[in-house]
């Protein structure tokens, strides 16, 4: 347990104090993604993420375990977990598990990793902060990278760049609404590597349709 | 508790003309000063698994089996995070002490195959998990598995490898596990080399388990970590490193971790100008001095030395007539064989099989009495005869890296037989094919 947590043992307070104390803890360990506010915490309470609570008078009353759970939710959200997955995880975890989940105060290694993430491609930033708001510049960078991938995939397959080619042939129904046509005489020679490469090309093609032709609602 | 020996290829110092000496720096644990086998350092591990589409089926199920075997080898004082990546990286299980093994294993079971290979994103997320709980006394390591090329996110091998080196300087090392025919062996081996971890590969999914066992056997047997060596040559002596060229910010040579019953080593070529150093020290000539720094598994920092190499002056003819030290000759043979394999690998990638055959023949001739090197060349010749470019390239890459940097069993001799190798700890065993499990080498 870190000294930050040790100091909070025995802590008690109302919901505003819970938010303030947890925010301060998250700031010290530098895991924060957006403002932690009353509405968000009430949502977590309704979902059962913070465990059971008691009332003192009209006010909800919280303790050390609530701080731990609230901080753990924010850490796991920063990892890209959904609230449903976090709820399942917390249900299976004891207090000491949740304590050990919370990071130590920021290290030199974490600072380096932050710098690497900033210096890397837009993809890397998107992965780690997948649900953070995306700026117009980031959207442009992402679309540009996807477009590059589309062209590379097309070139590797020996196809003209630009738009997905169409042939009328054997139909493979991946889903009722998603079907693929393949030249029948190519099927016997297809390898697993070919299949993987085709998969990338399909992803890139669909992405092109979504991002460039306005099919998205 | 670490012995350091400076051993010249031939005894004596040839005076009167410009010359070149080969010197082995050998580090070994002093067995009498070691505590009995007991607690190992705490481990802070992130296991990063490729779940791209090509891992679908047997490769992914075998990778998951390896991951679950790792969970079984860890205890409540160790931490484990599991990360999976395809187009994006996902924390499958956040870094936590390994208390509830079933919970971790069920998380691993849920990993499903996906799309492309965002290798750097996976590594970065695994490293972040480790970094959040970094302690100087733990062994903190990212274990990265991939069967493909980095084709999503950051792809530049130089940049990725430099990230591994940068993080190793902050205490988080990287080991890599390549699988099959399609992974990028240059990238994966460089990540491990610069990340100060280990590089392994398996030709098939079934070959994966042994490398993981080897790595964890070694972690359990560590006696010294963060081993750094400072060398200084006497005036007129210029030192060239023939292996382990990586240095830390203070200019010290970075050496691998040392485990029980093993030697780590560095081979030097020392070029000496015509005006050789003046004799001193009872008529001997001082060629080289060395100082050593390392950490024990308890986290204590130790500095030892200086150690000196003082040689008796003699005529060049008398020096040439001296017998060679067999250990130094063996290491020199392996380094030269490694160079030839790297050249053969480049030739194979250019489909220049005539040159490949010539280089393998040269390495076989060089091997002399070194049966392991000679037999290893025979396996490479097989790949060349079948024109298997990708397999040749991978085997040559990992074989040459092993020959340049492997930990050597203390009492290893020039002979080689599999029955004897099987008696040694896994991390000291010599294999004929780096990508196949030992039981399959026949």
């Amino acid at each position: 347990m870190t000294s930050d947590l040790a100091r909070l043992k025995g802590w008690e307070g109302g919901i505003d104090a819970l938010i303030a104390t947890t925010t301060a803890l998250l700031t010290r360990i530098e895991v924060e993604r957006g403002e932690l506010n009353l509405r968000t915490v009430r949502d977590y309470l309704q979902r059962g993420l913070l465990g059971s609570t008691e009332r003192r008078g009209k006010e909800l009353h919280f303790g050390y375990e609530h701080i731990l759970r609230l901080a753990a939710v924010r850490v796991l959200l920063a990892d890209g977990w959904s609230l449903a997955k976090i709820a399942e995880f917390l249900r299976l975890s004891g207090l000491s598990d949740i304590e050990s989940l919370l990071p130590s105060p920021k290290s030199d290694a974490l600072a380096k990793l932050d710098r690497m993430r900033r210096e890397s491609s837009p993809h890397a930033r998107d992965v780690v902060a997948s649900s953070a708001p995306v700026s117009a510049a980031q959207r442009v960078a992402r679309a540009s990278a996807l477009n590059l991938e589309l062209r590379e995939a097309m070139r590797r397959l020996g196809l003209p760049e630009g738009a997905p080619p169409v042939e009328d042939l054997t139909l493979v129904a991946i889903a009722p609404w998603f079907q693929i046509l393949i030249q029948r005489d190519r099927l016997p020679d297809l390898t697993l590597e070919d299949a993987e490469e085709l998969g990338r090309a399909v992803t890139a093609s669909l992405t092109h349709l979504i991002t460039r032709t306005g099919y998205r609602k | 508790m670490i012995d350091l020996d400076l051993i010249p290829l031939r005894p004596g110092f040839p005076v009167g003309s410009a010359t070149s000496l080969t010197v082995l720096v050998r580090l070994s644990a002093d067995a009498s000063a070691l505590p009995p086998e007991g607690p190992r350092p705490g481990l802070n591990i992130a296991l990063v698994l490729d779940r791209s589409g090509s891992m679908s089926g047997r490769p992914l199920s075998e990778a998951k089996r390896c991951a679950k075997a790792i969970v079984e080898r860890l205890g409540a004082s160790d931490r484990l995070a599991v990360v999976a990546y395809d187009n994006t990286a996902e924390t499958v299980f956040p870094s936590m002490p390994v208390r509830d093994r079933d919970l971790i294993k069920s998380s691993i079971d849920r990993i499903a195959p996906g799309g492309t290979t965002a290798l750097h994103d996976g590594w970065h997320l695994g490293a972040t998990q480790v970094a959040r709980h970094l302690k100087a006394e733990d062994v903190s390591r990212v274990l990265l598995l991939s069967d493909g090329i980095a084709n999503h996110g950051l792809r530049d091998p130089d940049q990725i490898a430099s990230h591994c080196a940068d993080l190793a300087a902050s205490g988080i090392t990287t080991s890599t596990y390549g699988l099959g025919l399609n992974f990028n062996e240059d990238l994966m081996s460089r990540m491990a080399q610069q990340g100060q971890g280990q590089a392994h590969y398996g030709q098939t999914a079934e070959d994966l388990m042994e490398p993981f066992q080897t790595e964890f056997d070694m972690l359990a047997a560590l006696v010294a970590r963060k081993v750094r060596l400072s060398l200084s040559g006497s005036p007129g002596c210029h030192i060239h490193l023939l292996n382990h060229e990586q240095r830390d910010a203070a200019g010290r040579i970075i050496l691998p971790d040392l485990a029980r019953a093993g030697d780590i080593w560095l081979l030097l070529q020392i070029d000496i100008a015509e005006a050789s150093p003046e004799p001193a020290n009872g008529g001997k000539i001082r060629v080289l001095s060395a100082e050593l720094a390392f950490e024990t598994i308890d986290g204590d920092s130790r500095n030892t030395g200086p150690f000196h190499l003082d040689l008796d002056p003699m005529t060049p003819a008398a020096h040439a007539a001296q017998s060679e030290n067999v250990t130094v000759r063996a290491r020199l043979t392996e380094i030269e064989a490694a160079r030839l394999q790297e050249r053969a690998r480049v030739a194979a990638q250019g489909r220049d099989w005539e040159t490949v055959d010539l280089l393998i023949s040269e390495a076989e001739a060089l091997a002399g009495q070194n049966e392991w090197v000679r037999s290893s060349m025979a396996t490479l010749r097989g790949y060349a005869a079948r024109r298997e470019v990708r397999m040749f390239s991978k085997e040559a890459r990992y074989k040459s890296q092993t020959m340049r940097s492997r930990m050597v069993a203390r009492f290893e001799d020039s002979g080689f037989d599999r029955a004897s190798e099987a008696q040694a700890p896994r991390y000291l065993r010599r294999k004929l094919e780096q990508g196949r499990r030992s039981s399959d080498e026949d």
Side-chain angles (χ1 to χ4, degrees):
Chain A
M1 183 193 301
T2 66
S3 56
D4 280 317
L5 290 185
R7 279 196 294 272
L8 292 171
K9 283 269 187 184
W11 179 91
E12 290 184 22
I15 195 162
D16 290 334
L18 172 71
I19 293 169
T21 307
T22 309
T23 299
L25 173 65
L26 290 167
T27 303
R28 280 196 295 280
I29 59 180
E30 296 194 43
V31 177
E32 186 49 316
R33 46 186 309 287
E35 186 194 359
L36 186 59
N37 57 35
L38 198 58
R39 187 175 161 191
T40 307
V41 173
R42 283 191 176 134
D43 179 50
Y44 295 166
L45 280 166
Q46 275 192 338
R47 292 170 186 266
L49 290 168
L50 305 188
S52 58
T53 52
E54 61 172 285
R55 282 191 179 275
R56 291 192 182 170
K58 290 183 178 176
E59 297 293 319
L60 282 172
H61 195 75
F62 299 93
Y64 171 66
E65 183 171 350
H66 296 105
I67 292 178
L68 280 186
R69 284 174 161 269
L70 183 51
V73 170
R74 304 299 278 186
V75 168
L76 293 171
L77 277 172
D79 279 349
W81 282 28
S82 67
L83 288 175
K85 191 173 173 183
I86 294 170
E88 186 196 357
F89 180 82
L90 291 177
R91 186 175 58 77
L92 296 169
S93 303
L95 192 64
S96 62
D97 292 327
I98 302 172
E99 280 174 342
S100 63
L101 174 73
L102 298 182
S104 307
K106 194 155 188 172
S107 63
D108 166 54
L110 273 174
K112 282 184 179 176
L113 285 160
D114 279 351
R115 177 174 50 74
M116 290 171 196
R117 189 180 60 200
R118 285 195 304 273
E119 290 172 359
S120 301
S121 70
H123 290 292
R125 289 198 294 273
D126 294 343
V127 167
V128 178
S130 54
S131 48
V134 178
S135 69
Q138 284 174 315
R139 280 196 300 275
V140 168
R142 184 190 290 177
S144 169
L146 288 170
N147 196 35
L148 178 66
E149 180 149 333
L150 166 69
R151 289 205 307 273
E152 283 178 0
M154 293 289 190
R155 191 170 57 249
R156 283 198 296 272
L157 287 166
L159 298 171
E161 295 178 14
V166 178
E167 303 275 352
D168 60 333
L169 304 154
T170 300
L171 183 146
V172 179
I174 305 295
W177 53 270
F178 180 64
Q179 298 163 356
I180 298 174
L181 294 165
I182 307 174
Q183 282 183 341
R184 189 188 301 271
D185 59 349
R186 296 294 292 270
L187 280 173
D189 298 326
L190 272 184
T191 65
L192 286 174
E193 288 77 19
D194 294 333
E196 190 180 0
E197 193 74 351
L198 286 163
R200 288 191 202 106
V202 169
T203 305
S205 300
L206 291 173
T207 306
H208 176 84
L209 290 172
I210 292 165
T211 57
R212 287 299 174 94
T213 53
Y215 288 163
R216 172 168 274 176
K217 283 179 188 173
Chain B
M1 74 177 264
I2 292 187
D3 293 329
L4 187 148
D5 300 307
L6 298 168
I7 311 168
L9 179 61
R10 289 192 176 88
F13 186 98
V15 292
S17 63
T19 189
S20 182
L21 301 177
T22 302
V23 175
L24 177 71
V25 184
R26 184 176 66 184
L27 279 64
S28 50
D30 174 6
S32 63
L34 281 181
E37 288 192 41
R40 56 165 171 72
L43 302 179
N44 178 4
I45 302 283
L47 183 58
V48 180
L49 300 178
D50 183 347
R51 63 161 185 194
S52 59
S54 57
M55 287 290 288
S56 180
R58 191 66 194 260
L60 186 58
S61 66
E62 197 62 23
K64 290 200 261 186
R65 190 170 78 89
C66 292
K68 287 189 276 188
I70 288 171
V71 173
E72 282 300 325
R73 293 197 62 159
L74 299 175
S77 56
D78 302 315
R79 298 189 75 98
L80 177 69
V82 182
V83 165
Y85 67 96
D86 56 350
N87 307 37
T88 58
E90 176 200 4
T91 304
V92 174
F93 193 84
S95 176
M96 288 181 63
V98 182
R99 287 195 279 256
D100 187 342
R101 291 193 173 91
D102 290 340
L103 181 61
I104 303 173
K105 287 185 197 170
S106 66
S107 302
I108 292 169
D109 277 332
R110 286 200 287 269
I111 299 173
T116 54
T117 309
L119 184 145
H120 180 265
D121 291 348
W123 173 83
H124 189 280
L125 187 54
T128 301
Q129 289 289 329
V130 172
R132 281 181 184 170
H133 304 279
L134 196 59
K135 287 186 193 166
E137 64 271 27
D138 289 344
V139 175
S140 301
R141 186 163 291 184
V142 179
L143 308 180
L144 175 82
L145 170 76
S146 179
D147 79 330
I149 53 171
N151 55 16
H152 201 96
L154 183 64
R155 305 169 209 186
D156 178 11
D158 290 338
Q159 210 176 343
I160 295 173
S162 79
H163 284 181
C164 295
D166 205 7
L167 209 57
S170 293
I172 300 175
T173 53
T174 298
S175 289
T176 57
Y177 293 76
L179 172 61
L181 282 173
N182 295 321
F183 73 92
N184 181 341
E185 65 269 22
D186 283 324
L187 171 63
M188 294 288 270
S189 59
R190 282 176 63 194
M191 286 178 77
Q193 192 177 9
Q194 296 198 32
Q196 297 173 37
Q198 298 181 26
H200 303 279
Y201 92 101
Q203 291 184 3
T204 68
E206 292 74 18
D207 295 314
L208 264 184
M209 185 65 86
E210 188 173 87
F212 279 111
Q213 289 173 328
T214 301
E215 177 137 16
F216 276 84
D217 284 357
M218 186 179 158
L219 290 173
L222 284 181
V223 294
R225 304 163 49 211
K226 300 177 186 172
V227 184
R228 304 288 183 265
L229 182 72
S230 304
L231 294 174
S232 56
S234 296
C237 299
H238 300 286
I239 302 169
H240 305 281
L241 310 182
L242 301 185
N243 61 335
H244 296 305
E245 295 94 347
Q246 208 173 342
R247 292 178 184 267
D248 68 7
R252 300 176 302 177
I253 299 157
I254 298 173
L255 293 176
D257 295 343
L258 179 62
R260 285 174 189 272
D263 291 345
I264 53 177
W265 54 279
L266 171 68
L267 205 61
L268 311 174
Q269 180 185 308
I270 304 175
D271 293 335
I272 298 156
E274 194 168 344
S276 54
E278 289 298 316
N281 308 306
K284 290 176 183 289
I285 293 176
R286 176 156 296 169
V287 176
L288 174 73
S289 298
E291 291 186 62
L292 189 64
F294 62 93
E295 268 186 21
T296 67
I297 57 165
D298 301 322
D300 294 336
S301 294
R302 303 278 178 88
N303 292 285
T304 59
F307 305 88
H308 303 294
L309 177 63
D310 296 327
L311 300 174
D312 290 317
M314 59 181 67
T315 65
H319 183 255
Q322 298 289 320
S323 300
E324 288 185 348
N325 180 289
V326 291
T327 305
V328 183
R329 169 51 65 188
R331 299 292 82 77
L332 187 56
T333 297
E334 289 175 21
I335 283 195
E336 289 177 352
R339 282 187 186 149
L340 290 168
Q341 286 171 88
E342 277 297 334
R343 287 172 57 194
R345 181 171 166 267
V346 173
Q349 287 171 340
R351 272 66 170 174
D352 181 359
W353 297 107
E354 194 177 332
T355 300
V356 170
D357 285 341
L358 284 172
L359 290 166
I360 293 176
S361 297
E362 197 176 332
E364 282 172 333
L366 174 81
Q369 300 302 310
N370 191 324
E371 288 180 29
W372 175 56
V373 171
R374 207 171 53 242
S375 301
S376 295
M377 291 309 109
T379 61
L380 271 187
R381 192 179 283 287
Y383 290 122
R386 294 189 294 276
R387 303 295 190 251
E388 294 178 273
V389 176
R390 287 183 294 178
M391 201 49 82
F392 185 96
S393 178
K394 285 171 174 57
E395 187 60 28
R397 177 73 189 217
Y398 282 86
K399 215 187 276 289
S400 64
Q401 193 156 324
T402 301
M403 288 183 182
R404 285 171 57 83
S405 60
R406 73 190 178 100
M407 195 184 305
V408 177
R410 192 73 221 256
F411 300 108
E412 182 180 291
D413 59 29
S414 62
F416 175 77
D417 76 85
R418 287 170 192 153
S420 302
E421 293 298 318
Q423 303 302 311
R426 281 194 187 90
Y427 56 87
L428 295 175
R429 290 179 197 165
R430 290 170 292 178
K431 296 169 72 173
L432 292 182
E433 291 188 83
Q434 299 302 311
R436 296 179 69 188
R437 58 196 185 281
S438 307
S439 59
D440 236 27
E441 283 190 330
D442 299 321

